[in-house]
């Protein structure tokens, strides 16, 4: 015996089809915008690529490794279309890679409106005073210098579009340093200062510059913190919400900062940390 549900009637199917078409025609907050996101094939960067694309932006993702770009691109293009998302290899510390990232974005999408600087490294742990000079240089080269340089290189293209938005991804450790992450904490504090200074310099060009400071987020990058039972328990005690964040929770704030909903916000840092202390 077969039972025909009213939810599978031709009328209902037609209604759903029409509703889907109507939804696709509704303006999205980032329609017509083009975004570059560094280090965007995993974790917070990948979640940000998904969020911006879902909100209407065309997105250029990047990573140091070709296979990571291909894997992430296959997933994003399946969901958002092959014309909406592209990707290139980019080691942010290499000038030629940054140049290629920018030029490919312009070639494919016609311009740039948004820069999300997400690339970071942390090859060491422990007290800042125990950090070796070459490790210190590497941390600052990737976490701070590359953010500064790609900003300089992208800004003329934002100006040519009449304005835009830049978002730096810092860390709660930039506001409330962790002793285990000494040098990394200092580099992330530097991004807070970069945000303030660049925001002042670019306000007259209709370019807003903001920063997010994620707490401990469940990513591969933070797995040494979240997957260590004793350490994770200690960290959770510092969080009033008693849980770690997920990448989408950071991505949604970044998308807000890139949209017109935040049109009067610049030079600010938003902590996304589940209530962890966030005062410098």
């Amino acid at each position: 015996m077969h039972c025909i549900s009213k939810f599978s009637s031709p009328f209902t199917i037609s209604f759903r089809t029409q509703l889907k078409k109507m939804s696709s025609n509704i303006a999205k907050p980032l329609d017509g915008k083009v975004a570059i996101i560094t280090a965007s094939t995993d974790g917070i960067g990948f979640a940000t690529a998904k969020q911006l694309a879902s909100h209407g932006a065309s997105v250029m993702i990047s990573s140091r490794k070709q296979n990571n770009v291909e894997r992430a691109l296959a997933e994003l293009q399946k969901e958002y279309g092959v014309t909406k998302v592209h990707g290139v290899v980019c080691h942010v510390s290499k000038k030629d890679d940054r140049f290629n990232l920018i030029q490919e974005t312009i070639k494919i999408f016609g311009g740039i409106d948004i820069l999300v600087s997400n690339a970071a490294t942390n090859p060491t742990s422990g007290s800042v005073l125990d950090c070796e000079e070459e490790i210190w240089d590497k941390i600052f080269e990737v976490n701070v210098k590359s953010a500064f340089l790609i900003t300089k290189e992208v800004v003329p293209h934002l100006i040519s579009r009449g304005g835009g938005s830049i978002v730096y991804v810092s860390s709660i450790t930039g506001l409330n340093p962790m002793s285990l992450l000494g040098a990394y904490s200092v580099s992330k504090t530097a991004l807070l200062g970069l945000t303030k200074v660049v925001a002042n310099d670019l306000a007259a060009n209709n370019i807003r510059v903001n920063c997010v400071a994620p707490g401990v987020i469940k990513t591969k990058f933070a797995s040494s913190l979240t997957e260590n039972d004793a350490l994770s328990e200690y960290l959770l005690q510092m969080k009033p919400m008693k849980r770690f964040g997920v990448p989408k929770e950071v991505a949604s704030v970044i998308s807000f900062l890139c949209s017109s909903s935040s049109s009067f916000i610049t030079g600010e840092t938003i902590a996304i940390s589940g209530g962890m202390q966030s005062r410098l």
Side-chain angles (χ1 to χ4, degrees), residues 94-219:
K94 296 180 178 179
K95 182 177 182 178
D96 289 346
D97 279 13
R98 295 193 308 270
F99 178 82
N100 184 58
L101 171 63
I102 292 168
Q103 293 306 309
E104 282 297 302
T105 304
I106 293 169
K107 177 182 175 182
I108 293 169
F109 296 125
I112 305 168
D113 304 284
I114 295 165
L115 169 65
V116 180
S117 179
N118 177 59
T121 189
N122 184 42
T124 189
S125 62
S127 168
V128 66
L129 298 179
D130 293 329
C131 183
E132 297 179 4
E133 183 177 358
E134 59 268 27
I135 297 297
W136 175 274
D137 288 344
K138 181 177 181 179
I139 289 173
F140 273 79
E141 182 177 35
V142 175
N143 297 6
V144 184
K145 184 179 178 181
S146 70
F148 162 67
L149 290 175
I150 198 168
T151 297
K152 287 186 66 176
E153 293 155 356
V154 165
V155 160
H157 302 288
L158 299 185
I159 291 174
S160 73
R161 301 272 277 193
S165 179
I166 298 171
V167 179
Y168 298 118
V169 180
S170 179
S171 166
I172 195 67
T173 64
L175 292 161
N176 186 18
M178 289 187 185
S179 57
L180 282 174
L181 304 173
Y184 176 82
S185 297
V186 179
S187 73
K188 290 301 186 175
T189 301
L191 288 179
L192 310 183
L194 184 64
T195 299
K196 292 288 188 185
V197 174
V198 179
N200 284 342
D201 285 351
L202 295 179
N205 298 110
N206 194 35
I207 298 172
R208 296 181 301 103
V209 184
N210 291 292
C211 185
V212 294
V216 184
I217 308 297
K218 285 186 176 181
T219 62

Side-chain angles (χ1 to χ4, degrees), residues 10-157:
F11 172 79
T12 304
I13 294 172
S14 176
F15 177 74
R16 286 176 178 171
T17 302
Q18 291 300 318
L19 187 61
K20 187 175 181 180
K21 287 182 179 179
M22 289 171 61
S23 297
S24 66
N25 291 329
I26 295 174
K28 297 178 180 179
L30 297 176
D31 273 345
K33 302 299 182 182
V34 177
I36 287 178
I37 310 171
T38 62
S40 45
T41 60
D42 198 8
I44 290 171
F46 184 67
T48 300
K50 294 184 73 171
Q51 192 79 5
L52 298 193
S54 70
H55 286 175
S58 297
V59 178
M60 179 65 81
I61 64 169
S62 64
S63 173
R64 292 180 302 162
K65 297 181 179 180
Q66 181 68 41
N67 63 317
N68 288 344
V69 173
E70 291 174 356
R71 173 190 49 77
L73 199 54
E75 183 176 340
L76 291 167
Q77 289 184 338
K78 182 178 179 180
E79 187 168 356
Y80 302 107
V82 294
T83 63
K84 203 68 175 175
V85 186
H86 286 268
V88 298
V89 171
C90 179
H91 190 309
V92 292
S93 295
K94 296 180 178 179
K95 182 177 182 178
D96 289 346
D97 279 13
R98 295 193 308 270
F99 178 82
N100 184 58
L101 171 63
I102 292 168
Q103 293 306 309
E104 282 297 302
T105 304
I106 293 169
K107 177 182 175 182
I108 293 169
F109 296 125
I112 305 168
D113 304 284
I114 295 165
L115 169 65
V116 180
S117 179
N118 177 59
T121 189
N122 184 42
T124 189
S125 62
S127 168
V128 66
L129 298 179
D130 293 329
C131 183
E132 297 179 4
E133 183 177 358
E134 59 268 27
I135 297 297
W136 175 274
D137 288 344
K138 181 177 181 179
I139 289 173
F140 273 79
E141 182 177 35
V142 175
N143 297 6
V144 184
K145 184 179 178 181
S146 70
F148 162 67
L149 290 175
I150 198 168
T151 297
K152 287 186 66 176
E153 293 155 356
V154 165
V155 160
H157 302 288

